[in-house]
mmCIF file of all heavy atoms in Angstrom:
data_model
loop_
_atom_site.group_PDB
_atom_site.id
_atom_site.type_symbol
_atom_site.label_atom_id
_atom_site.label_comp_id
_atom_site.label_asym_id
_atom_site.label_seq_id
_atom_site.Cartn_x
_atom_site.Cartn_y
_atom_site.Cartn_z
ATOM 1 N N THR A 307 2.759 19.821 -16.537
ATOM 2 C CA THR A 307 1.755 20.863 -16.736
ATOM 3 C C THR A 307 2.389 22.242 -16.613
ATOM 4 O O THR A 307 2.161 23.125 -17.418
ATOM 5 C CB THR A 307 0.625 20.733 -15.688
ATOM 6 O OG1 THR A 307 0.205 19.382 -15.663
ATOM 7 C CG2 THR A 307 -0.542 21.607 -16.035
ATOM 8 N N LEU A 308 3.221 22.399 -15.581
ATOM 9 C CA LEU A 308 3.874 23.684 -15.361
ATOM 10 C C LEU A 308 4.785 24.033 -16.531
ATOM 11 O O LEU A 308 4.835 25.161 -16.980
ATOM 12 C CB LEU A 308 4.697 23.650 -14.068
ATOM 13 C CG LEU A 308 3.879 23.728 -12.786
ATOM 14 C CD1 LEU A 308 4.773 23.565 -11.570
ATOM 15 C CD2 LEU A 308 3.131 25.052 -12.711
ATOM 16 N N ALA A 309 5.492 23.020 -17.012
ATOM 17 C CA ALA A 309 6.442 23.266 -18.097
ATOM 18 C C ALA A 309 5.723 23.706 -19.364
ATOM 19 O O ALA A 309 6.266 24.452 -20.161
ATOM 20 C CB ALA A 309 7.266 22.013 -18.356
ATOM 21 N N LEU A 310 4.494 23.236 -19.530
ATOM 22 C CA LEU A 310 3.762 23.541 -20.757
ATOM 23 C C LEU A 310 2.899 24.798 -20.651
ATOM 24 O O LEU A 310 2.427 25.312 -21.641
ATOM 25 C CB LEU A 310 2.869 22.356 -21.145
ATOM 26 C CG LEU A 310 3.629 21.114 -21.596
ATOM 27 C CD1 LEU A 310 2.679 19.943 -21.768
ATOM 28 C CD2 LEU A 310 4.389 21.390 -22.878
ATOM 29 N N ALA A 311 2.707 25.268 -19.426
ATOM 30 C CA ALA A 311 1.860 26.446 -19.244
ATOM 31 C C ALA A 311 2.447 27.641 -19.989
ATOM 32 O O ALA A 311 3.643 27.869 -19.937
ATOM 33 C CB ALA A 311 1.742 26.769 -17.759
ATOM 34 N N PRO A 312 1.593 28.381 -20.695
ATOM 35 C CA PRO A 312 2.119 29.530 -21.438
ATOM 36 C C PRO A 312 2.676 30.573 -20.480
ATOM 37 O O PRO A 312 2.088 30.847 -19.450
ATOM 38 C CB PRO A 312 0.899 30.059 -22.194
ATOM 39 C CG PRO A 312 -0.277 29.470 -21.515
ATOM 40 C CD PRO A 312 0.169 28.217 -20.817
ATOM 41 N N GLY A 313 3.814 31.119 -20.823
ATOM 42 C CA GLY A 313 4.401 32.152 -19.994
ATOM 43 C C GLY A 313 5.033 31.637 -18.712
ATOM 44 O O GLY A 313 5.400 32.409 -17.855
ATOM 45 N N ALA A 314 5.132 30.310 -18.591
ATOM 46 C CA ALA A 314 5.762 29.750 -17.397
ATOM 47 C C ALA A 314 7.213 30.181 -17.352
ATOM 48 O O ALA A 314 7.825 30.426 -18.375
ATOM 49 C CB ALA A 314 5.666 28.227 -17.420
ATOM 50 N N SER A 315 7.722 30.278 -16.143
ATOM 51 C CA SER A 315 9.083 30.768 -16.050
ATOM 52 C C SER A 315 10.103 29.676 -16.339
ATOM 53 O O SER A 315 11.280 29.888 -16.218
ATOM 54 C CB SER A 315 9.327 31.399 -14.687
ATOM 55 O OG SER A 315 9.114 30.433 -13.693
#
Side-chain angles (χ1 to χ4, degrees):
T307 311
L308 285 175
L310 291 172
S315 60

